[in-house]
């Protein structure tokens, strides 16, 4: 008696059909043009969709599209986010860069990109051995004094004079807003620097980070050149004492822009000197020309002095007959061609005393603030303490939110302890810039980059006598890029305790002079 075949259960039939379809799909070979056509077609459709959305919604849709694209780049590799941060950090504080989307303060492309890059870095490095995100050499001497200063200052927010709140552009009226503006926003530069360090440590060719530096230099330099040209203002008007806020609509004071350009010029000058690629060398030379033009338009005497100091460091470090002859021929020509407005700005106040030379800083700011130092000399009175100081409350000091001296500001805000720690941190950075510029394991152009960073940092610290800050500020954007590259190369070359112990162990096996050179990953 023959047995009757029973039908397969429904689940088995579905599984058999799926397997048959999969086999047919695997057997079918698509032409080579299908995949790129699908990719470009999808991108075209996405572009059309966002184009229509921008037409209906406006600028917010464009910002969202750019932010999503940047975040997608970070999803692929957090190093892409670090490169994009190198492009936008120098201009992040300017008004040409959006600071809010859909009316939500803080929700902007920079914060989204910074947060996404940090998250992807943590996910990619989870469970892996490597240098920490915040090394102890920056955590204790730099971040801890900043945090302590913010905790001290948040108790004095209510003591800020009412006239100061109404007449200035303070963006907070509570302790929470104070901590956001005086601690969290500045720390963004440190976080950016450490993400660059992590990206450089994991990059095969870390010298390629010079490319986003060049692009950002052109963006920030052409911004001020275009602004001045579009305004139609004369150079003689820009050089006046009461025209120092002319560039403020860009989001930064002229003096801060000048310091930013002086550091950028230092980096470009020494990279140009070390480069052996003629095309790259030519582009670097043009970039220096644009930066010098923008620096001159700031009419910042501190920036002029920093520019001169950087060139003196360059000439002293080279001391070649050819270089000295070229400089001797170029300097007189430059002095003759220099606009009269620049000479007027350089000579302003000379022959009228120290107060006139310092544009009123000595009598109107520094001397009235000196007693405030002794109110809390050890740990200071908190970040931004000039706003609630006795001199400000009694109107004995010029109406300013900054002491116009980086060292006096650190002394008032964080005390002798904070000033010593932060100044020690910057000296430590200068020393390692110099060490890396002489390390033959570092690529040639990157050695020039670190040599320029050392010169730029020196000029910045000297110019700090008349302004800026030892704490993170937008004028330090290129310096923090250099600090990040420094930490990345330190880790790559094994400049930490574990690597030193390993080197000591291998030195017993390899004779002197035959030790293996650290290879880039």
């Amino acid at each position: 008696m023959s047995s009757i075949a029973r039908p397969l259960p429904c689940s088995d039939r579905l599984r058999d059909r799926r397997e048959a379809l999969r086999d047919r799909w695997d057997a079918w070979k698509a032409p080579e043009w299908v995949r790129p056509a699908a990719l470009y077609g999808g991108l075209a459709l996405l572009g059309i969709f966002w184009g229509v959305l921008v037409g209906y919604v406006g600028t917010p849709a464009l910002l969202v599209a750019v932010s999503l694209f940047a975040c997608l780049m970070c999803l692929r590799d957090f190093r892409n986010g670090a490169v994009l941060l190198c492009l936008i950090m120098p201009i992040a504080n300017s008004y040409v860069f959006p600071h809010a989307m859909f009316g939500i303060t803080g929700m902007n492309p920079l914060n989204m990109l910074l947060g996404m890059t940090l998250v992807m870095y943590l996910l990619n490095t989870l469970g892996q051995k490597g240098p920490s995100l915040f090394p102890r050499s920056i955590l204790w001497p730099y971040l801890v004094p900043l945090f302590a200063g913010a905790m001290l200052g948040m108790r004095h927010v209510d003591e800020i004079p009412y006239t100061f709140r109404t007449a200035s552009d303070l963006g907070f009226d509570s302790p929470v807003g104070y901590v956001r503006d005086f601690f969290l926003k500045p720390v963004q530069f440190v976080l950016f620097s450490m993400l660059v360090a992590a990206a450089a440590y994991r990059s095969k060719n870390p010298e390629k980070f010079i490319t986003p530096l060049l692009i950002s230099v052109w963006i920030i330099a052409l911004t001020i050149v275009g602004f001045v040209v579009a305004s139609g203002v004369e150079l003689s008007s820009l050089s006046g004492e009461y025209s120092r806020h002319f560039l403020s609509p860009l989001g930064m004071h002229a003096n801060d822009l000048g310091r930013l350009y002086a550091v950028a010029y230092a980096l470009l000058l020494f990279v140009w000197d070390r480069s052996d690629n003629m095309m790259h060398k030519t582009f670097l030379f043009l970039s220096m020309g644009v930066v010098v033009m923008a620096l001159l338009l700031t009419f910042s005497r501190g920036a002029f002095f920093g520019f001169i100091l950087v060139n003196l460091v360059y000439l002293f470090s080279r001391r070649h007959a050819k270089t000295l002859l070229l400089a001797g021929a170029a300097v007189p020509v430059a002095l003759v061609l220099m606009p009269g407005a620049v000479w007027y700005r350089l000579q302003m106040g000379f022959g009228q005393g120290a107060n006139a030379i310092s544009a009123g800083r000595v009598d109107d700011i520094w001397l009235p603030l000196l007693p405030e130092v002794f109110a809390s000399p050890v740990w200071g009175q908190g970040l931004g303490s000039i706003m609630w100081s006795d001199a400000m409350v009694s109107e004995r000091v010029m109406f300013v939110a900054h002491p116009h001296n980086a060292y006096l500001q650190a002394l008032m805000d964080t005390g002798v302890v904070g000033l010593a720690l932060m100044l020690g941190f910057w000296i430590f950075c200068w020393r390692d810039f110099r060490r890396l510029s002489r390390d033959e394991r570092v690529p040639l152009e990157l050695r020039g980059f670190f040599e320029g960073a050392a010169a730029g940092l020196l000029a910045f610290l000297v110019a700090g006598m008349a302004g800026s800050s030892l704490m993170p500020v937008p004028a330090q954007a290129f310096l923090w890029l250099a600090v990040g590259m420094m930490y990345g190369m330190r880790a790559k070359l094994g400049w930490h305790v574990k690597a030193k112990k390993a080197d000591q162990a291998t030195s017993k096996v390899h004779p002197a002079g035959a030790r293996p050179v650290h290879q880039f990953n």
Side-chain angles (χ1 to χ4, degrees):
M1 186 175 179
S2 61
S3 59
I4 301 175
R6 297 181 178 179
L8 294 173
C10 181
S11 60
D12 294 339
R13 292 198 303 270
L14 290 176
R15 185 180 64 253
D16 293 342
R17 289 179 181 177
R18 285 198 302 268
E19 292 178 354
L21 289 173
R22 188 181 297 110
D23 293 339
R24 293 177 60 184
W25 175 260
D26 294 338
W28 180 70
K29 294 183 179 180
E32 296 182 356
W33 57 268
V34 171
R35 185 173 180 178
L39 175 62
Y40 292 124
L43 291 176
L45 291 176
L46 182 62
I48 293 173
F49 169 75
W50 281 110
V52 174
L53 192 62
V54 169
Y56 278 98
V57 179
T59 305
L62 178 61
L63 296 178
V64 171
V66 174
S67 302
L68 288 177
F69 174 76
C71 291
L72 288 176
M73 295 288 290
C74 293
L75 287 175
R76 183 179 180 184
D77 194 328
F78 82 93
R79 291 176 295 182
N80 295 330
V83 171
L84 293 174
L85 287 172
C86 294
L87 292 175
I88 66 176
M89 283 303 290
I91 63 170
N93 199 63
S94 66
Y95 292 142
V96 299
F97 189 83
H99 295 272
M101 293 190 301
F102 304 106
I104 303 176
T105 303
M107 183 180 179
N108 55 59
L110 173 62
N111 290 340
M112 292 178 63
L113 179 59
L114 197 61
M116 179 61 71
T117 306
L118 176 61
V119 170
M120 294 312 301
Y121 162 77
L122 295 175
L123 292 177
N124 290 343
T125 59
L126 189 64
Q128 297 182 6
K129 293 183 178 180
S132 59
L133 182 60
F134 291 102
R136 287 178 294 179
S137 56
I138 194 174
L139 179 63
W140 294 106
Y142 200 79
L143 291 180
V144 169
L146 284 179
F147 180 76
M151 294 301 101
L152 287 173
M154 67 184 299
R155 302 178 304 172
H156 299 279
V157 173
D158 295 335
E159 301 175 17
I160 299 176
Y162 179 76
T163 54
F164 196 97
R165 296 176 182 273
T166 56
S168 64
D169 55 351
L170 286 183
F172 63 89
D173 55 3
S174 66
V176 175
Y178 166 84
V179 173
R180 178 199 64 207
D181 290 353
F182 276 82
F183 179 71
L184 294 181
K185 286 185 177 180
V187 168
Q188 283 184 336
F189 288 95
V190 184
L191 178 58
F192 152 69
S193 179
M194 295 301 99
L195 290 173
V196 170
Y201 171 70
R202 290 166 175 80
S203 297
K204 185 177 181 181
N205 300 305
E207 65 273 14
K208 290 185 177 180
F209 275 87
I210 296 177
T211 301
L213 163 69
L214 287 172
I215 298 174
S216 62
V217 162
W218 277 86
I219 293 174
I220 192 65
L222 291 179
T223 298
I224 182 176
V225 173
F227 180 78
V228 172
V229 172
S231 64
V233 66
E234 296 181 356
L235 294 181
S236 57
S237 300
L238 286 176
S239 63
E241 182 179 355
Y242 300 102
S243 301
R244 309 310 302 137
H245 295 281
F246 176 79
L247 299 175
S248 295
L250 295 177
M252 294 176 64
H253 193 274
N255 293 336
D256 293 327
L257 285 169
R259 296 184 187 95
L260 181 70
Y261 295 140
V263 175
Y265 171 78
L267 296 174
L268 296 176
L269 174 63
F270 284 88
V271 173
W272 169 82
D273 181 76
R274 295 276 188 157
S275 177
D276 53 5
N277 186 314
M278 187 54 63
M279 183 176 296
H280 195 197
K281 210 174 182 72
T282 303
F283 187 70
L284 285 166
F285 185 79
L286 295 175
S287 302
M288 284 191 291
V290 174
V291 169
V292 171
M293 185 187 305
L295 187 148
L296 291 175
L297 290 176
T298 65
F299 286 94
S300 169
R301 289 183 292 177
F304 293 165
F305 182 78
F307 172 77
I308 295 172
L309 183 58
V310 166
N311 285 283
L312 289 177
V313 170
Y314 173 76
L315 293 175
F316 180 79
S317 63
R318 295 306 180 261
R319 294 196 297 273
H320 299 311
K322 181 180 178 181
T323 304
L324 294 176
L325 287 174
L326 289 175
V331 169
V333 176
L335 293 178
V336 171
L337 297 178
M338 187 178 295
V342 176
W343 283 110
Y344 171 78
R345 180 63 184 166
L346 287 172
Q347 298 173 0
M348 185 177 295
F350 281 91
Q352 303 177 25
N355 188 60
I357 295 176
S358 64
R361 288 175 172 86
V362 175
D363 293 343
D364 298 332
I365 302 177
W366 295 343
L367 291 179
L369 288 178
L370 281 181
E372 304 294 334
V373 175
F374 300 99
S376 180
V378 180
W379 48 75
Q381 302 182 62
L383 305 182
S385 60
I386 187 177
M387 293 186 295
W388 58 80
S389 63
D390 292 337
M392 180 62 67
V393 174
S394 60
E395 299 182 356
R396 290 183 288 106
V397 67
M398 185 184 295
F399 191 79
V400 290
H402 190 286
H404 287 70
N405 185 297
Y407 305 95
L408 179 58
Q409 180 200 35
L411 194 58
M412 289 179 57
D413 295 356
T414 61
V416 175
V417 175
L419 172 62
L421 289 174
M422 286 188 287
L423 188 58
F425 166 76
W426 286 115
I427 294 175
F428 158 80
C429 291
W430 180 85
R431 182 203 66 178
D432 276 5
F433 287 153
R434 296 290 300 164
R435 290 177 63 189
L436 286 168
S437 69
R438 296 190 294 264
D439 197 321
E440 295 183 357
R441 296 172 294 178
V442 179
L444 191 60
E445 288 191 359
L446 205 52
R447 272 185 270 166
F449 174 85
F450 288 121
E451 194 173 5
L457 176 56
L458 179 62
F460 194 90
L461 291 177
V462 173
M465 292 298 298
S468 194
S469 177
L470 298 179
M471 308 170 199
V473 289
Q476 300 170 358
F478 294 121
L479 276 180
W480 282 110
L481 170 61
V483 170
M485 293 298 297
M486 178 199 75
Y487 274 102
M489 293 306 298
R490 278 171 50 92
K492 185 178 284 290
L493 298 176
W495 287 11
H496 49 84
V497 176
K498 294 182 179 180
K500 290 180 180 179
K501 291 181 178 179
D503 288 346
Q504 292 174 0
T506 55
S507 64
K508 299 179 180 179
V509 180
H510 299 278
R515 293 177 59 188
V517 177
H518 291 277
Q519 297 296 325
F520 291 155
N521 295 329

